[in-house]
Amino acid sequence: MILNSISILNYRNIEAAELVFSDKFNCFIGNNGEGKTNLLDALYFLSFCHSMFTNVDSQMIMHEKDFFMLNGKYDTGDEIAVGMKRGHKKTFKRNGKAYRKLSEHIGLIPLICVSPDDVSIISGGSEERRRFLDIVISQYDNAYIEYLNRYNKALQQRNALLKQAAEEEIPCDMSLMELWEEEMASNGEEIYNRRKDFVERFIPVFNNIYKEISGEHEEVSLCYQSHCQRGPLLEVIQRDRHRDIAVGYSLHGIHKDELEMLIGGFPMKREASQGQTKTYVISLKLAQFDFLKESPLLLLDDVFDKLDSHRVENIIRMVSGKNFGQIFITDTNREHLDKILSKGHFDYKLFNVEGGHFV
């Protein structure tokens, strides 16, 4: 997948930009706060229908402006356009035609983004790690996001019944409760099977990439844990229903799944250094390339900080290879980008970024 060009109006601090890209490397150099990450976020929006930072689309409109617009043209012949006026819903179109459901767009333009905020995959709660699984799987499995939406709707409805029973001390409508539990179980097991299959195939790819970046200095692992491993999910959900009623929410289900991340057999968040944590996150992101239908766009946002020169060189060598396609890199350090560009005879473009302007 190649993004040939993008047009931007009033997106965050970018008032107007018309950019044509290299098929291989696109490097953006500038100080913090100048607009490098906002450019990557615009690319992310065109793939996932929302910002990488928030689902509140109106926050993407530049201050004191009434709208924003993005338009991307790809080598597939597709033109993706998104726009939003204050006080209105966004419009999202492929080749001039609006989508019936935005979920239909997910996976059309596969994209992987690595940013400093990704350390939350390790340091944050289990919801961050489930989100990582969901983002990857939904890009190659069109049914996955539908199962996820149906599960979350059923969970929300069951929790509403539980909360009402807990707060008002009234009996639950058991026929309605069972309906939502069955919906949770059927969709939850579909989600579990897809997560389990993905993790099993993902682990060896991830391990190999981590070894290549780190120089085999550490041993890392992943372990997927789910309530589905305790038996049929409907039975697991219903087994402790009395406890759910007492607390007012659902204690069991795939919304409690965990992807345990280990180094040397111990939890990453407790044992790993900053460099090891960043290496782990980058390896998680780069391992996704083996699972997406087409070569995805790769966004590397200020990824080299906290890494020693050996690991930086290994990452540069890896992403410069034929297994990776079009790459967008931001950095405040020109030295890092010069190292990338000196590693091979490939096409590239270098943009200096200042105040939302690209030169």
Side-chain angles (χ1 to χ4, degrees):
M1 178 67 68
I2 302 295
L3 175 61
N4 294 326
S5 64
I6 192 171
S7 173
I8 304 174
L9 285 174
N10 303 330
Y11 192 82
R12 305 192 72 161
N13 80 325
I14 304 173
E15 185 171 7
E18 297 272 353
L19 303 176
V20 177
F21 297 122
S22 160
D23 289 354
K24 185 58 180 177
F25 272 97
N26 297 277
C27 304
F28 301 86
I29 184 75
N31 294 326
N32 292 326
E34 297 296 339
K36 305 184 304 298
T37 300
N38 291 342
L39 182 279
L40 298 191
D41 190 50
L43 273 57
Y44 187 98
F45 205 120
L46 289 171
S47 286
F48 290 102
C49 308
H50 62 81
S51 165
M52 70 175 85
F53 303 109
T54 178
N55 288 322
V56 183
D57 299 318
S58 60
Q59 293 182 5
M60 300 303 105
I61 302 175
M62 191 176 193
H63 293 315
E64 300 181 358
K65 298 293 184 179
D66 295 326
F67 70 95
F68 80 79
M69 292 183 64
L70 304 174
N71 186 288
K73 296 181 179 179
Y74 298 83
D75 66 338
T76 58
D78 284 316
E79 181 174 348
I80 306 301
V82 57
M84 183 180 188
K85 293 181 180 180
R86 291 195 187 276
H88 295 77
K89 290 184 178 180
K90 67 187 168 193
T91 60
F92 209 100
K93 297 180 180 180
R94 176 186 179 190
N95 301 325
K97 184 178 180 180
Y99 282 97
R100 184 173 59 89
K101 295 188 297 184
L102 290 181
S103 60
E104 297 172 354
H105 179 71
I106 306 302
L108 177 70
I109 304 167
L111 180 147
I112 295 168
C113 180
V114 188
S115 76
D117 291 340
D118 289 329
V119 296
S120 63
I121 296 174
I122 294 172
S123 62
S126 59
E127 67 276 4
E128 296 288 345
R129 293 175 283 283
R130 289 191 297 273
R131 182 172 179 268
F132 167 75
L133 294 174
D134 294 341
I135 288 175
V136 183
I137 299 171
S138 65
Q139 288 193 79
Y140 68 79
D141 185 338
N142 292 334
Y144 183 81
I145 198 166
E146 292 298 327
Y147 288 123
L148 197 62
N149 287 339
R150 288 198 290 266
Y151 178 89
N152 287 333
K153 179 182 177 181
L155 172 64
Q156 184 181 33
Q157 294 295 331
R158 184 177 189 264
N159 281 346
L161 290 175
L162 294 169
K163 183 179 179 182
Q164 182 183 32
E167 291 179 350
E168 300 179 11
E169 298 183 356
I170 59 175
C172 285
D173 182 335
M174 296 311 299
S175 61
L176 195 54
M177 176 73 73
E178 290 175 1
L179 176 67
W180 293 124
E181 289 171 344
E182 291 170 2
E183 184 77 358
M184 284 176 62
S186 61
N187 289 287
E189 288 183 344
E190 292 286 353
I191 293 164
Y192 165 72
N193 289 331
R194 284 161 169 77
R195 287 177 177 175
K196 179 175 178 287
D197 174 71
F198 168 72
V199 172
E200 288 176 350
R201 293 185 293 126
F202 184 81
I203 287 173
V205 178
F206 162 73
N207 284 337
N208 287 336
I209 290 177
Y210 190 96
K211 288 178 181 178
E212 186 171 345
I213 294 175
S214 69
E216 302 190 35
H217 286 169
E218 304 100 26
E219 183 175 338
V220 294
S221 57
L222 290 164
C223 181
Y224 177 42
Q225 300 172 345
S226 176
H227 290 151
C228 285
Q229 294 158 347
R230 301 179 182 180
L233 186 55
L234 183 59
E235 293 180 11
V236 174
I237 292 171
Q238 293 180 340
R239 191 178 301 155
D240 288 327
R241 186 192 283 156
H242 64 285
R243 292 180 58 201
D244 293 359
I245 293 174
V247 298
Y249 56 88
S250 302
L251 293 168
H252 296 87
I254 57 94
H255 62 287
K256 296 292 186 179
D257 283 3
E258 175 64 283
L259 185 62
E260 192 174 20
M261 300 181 171
L262 306 171
I263 184 167
F266 297 98
M268 281 290 299
K269 66 169 62 179
R270 192 180 73 206
E271 298 290 328
S273 68
Q274 287 183 316
Q276 289 168 334
T277 297
K278 197 150 195 178
T279 302
Y280 200 101
V281 169
I282 292 171
S283 301
L284 285 172
K285 292 302 189 81
L286 296 185
Q288 296 177 47
F289 268 76
D290 277 26
F291 296 87
L292 302 186
K293 295 175 184 176
E294 297 185 44
S295 181
L297 307 181
L298 176 60
L299 315 185
L300 300 176
D301 188 19
D302 193 22
V303 300
F304 300 121
D305 186 39
K306 310 299 182 186
L307 294 175
D308 59 50
S309 59
H310 178 72
R311 296 187 187 219
V312 170
E313 290 177 6
N314 287 340
I315 293 170
I316 292 171
R317 183 176 63 252
M318 185 182 300
V319 300
S320 300
K322 62 182 180 180
N323 293 334
F324 293 86
Q326 190 181 27
I327 300 169
F328 298 81
I329 301 179
T330 73
D331 209 304
T332 58
N333 189 333
R334 179 63 186 265
E335 180 183 349
H336 290 150
L337 297 182
D338 285 340
K339 283 184 178 179
I340 293 172
L341 301 178
S342 68
K343 289 296 178 179
H345 301 287
F346 42 71
D347 184 52
Y348 72 88
K349 283 195 172 183
L350 180 64
F351 299 87
N352 288 292
V353 187
E354 185 174 352
H357 299 284
F358 300 81
V359 181

